[in-house]
Amino acid sequence: KTQEFKSLDKTVSEYSSDRESTNTELSAVLEYYAKIKERCIAKPETYEERKARREAEIQGLKEALRTLQEETALMQRRKRGGGRRHSFLAAA
């Protein structure tokens, strides 16, 4: 029986050691998962963030529209002015 107890004590010791190393590894994995989860899992935007993003987008679109309108106006002026020059040159 003494040998059996020694054998069981050794087995318990090995299992305890295995459990400790497994718990240490589990803690490391859970810590790593927590870090990754923060970076990878999408968080919903707040209303203020959405509103600010939309306002910036609208402002950018207004600026683009203004630029396009100015360019169109300049091109129309050039076409009108260019036609007069040709007719003036042709008459001379």
Side-chain angles (χ1 to χ4, degrees), residues 3-14:
Q3 189 169 358
E4 184 180 345
F5 286 134
K6 287 181 182 179
S7 175
L8 288 175
D9 283 344
K10 182 179 177 186
T11 303
V12 167
S13 176
E14 288 173 358

Side-chain angles (χ1 to χ4, degrees), residues 67-82:
T67 301
L68 289 172
Q69 288 173 337
E70 290 171 3
E71 287 179 5
T72 302
L74 287 173
M75 291 182 71
Q76 288 175 350
R77 287 184 198 147
R78 286 181 188 156
K79 283 184 180 178
R80 289 183 201 149

Side-chain angles (χ1 to χ4, degrees), residues 76-90:
Q76 288 175 350
R77 287 184 198 147
R78 286 181 188 156
K79 283 184 180 178
R80 289 183 201 149
R84 289 185 192 142
R85 285 187 204 136
H86 291 301
S87 59
F88 174 74
L89 292 175

